[in-house]
């Protein structure tokens, strides 16, 4: 699966705002895992439709 135009638009916007720290693309699922400098969105999934979903860390009790 190839990255979509929507995904590239989101990545370019984050990069332009100097918020994009790193990203990885999973060809099997078509999603990007993105790491940003934003305290609100430190780790997220970027779906093929351009939707960004926060990944919340699980803390051990």
């Amino acid at each position: 699966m190839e990255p979509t135009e929507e995904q590239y638009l989101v990545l370019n916007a984050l990069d332009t705002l100097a918020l994009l720290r790193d990203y990885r693309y999973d060809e099997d699922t078509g999603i990007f895992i993105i790491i940003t400098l934003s305290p609100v969105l430190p780790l997220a999934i970027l779906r093929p439709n351009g939707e960004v979903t926060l990944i919340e860390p699980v803390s051990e009790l």
Side-chain angles (χ1 to χ4, degrees):
M1 187 178 253
E2 293 291 320
T4 64
E5 185 175 336
E6 290 85 353
Q7 288 172 314
Y8 282 125
L9 288 172
V10 172
L11 290 173
N12 286 335
L14 290 170
D15 192 39
T16 299
L17 295 169
L19 292 174
L20 190 60
R21 188 169 155 200
D22 195 14
Y23 62 91
R24 298 283 186 260
Y25 183 67
D26 183 348
E27 291 182 4
D28 294 332
T29 61
I31 63 169
F32 280 92
I33 304 296
I34 57 174
I35 301 170
T36 73
L37 297 173
S38 168
V40 177
L41 190 70
L43 182 61
I45 293 174
L46 175 55
R47 301 179 190 279
N49 65 358
E51 180 181 329
V52 178
T53 305
L54 176 66
I55 299 174
E56 295 193 37
V58 177
S59 61
E60 294 184 36
L61 297 177

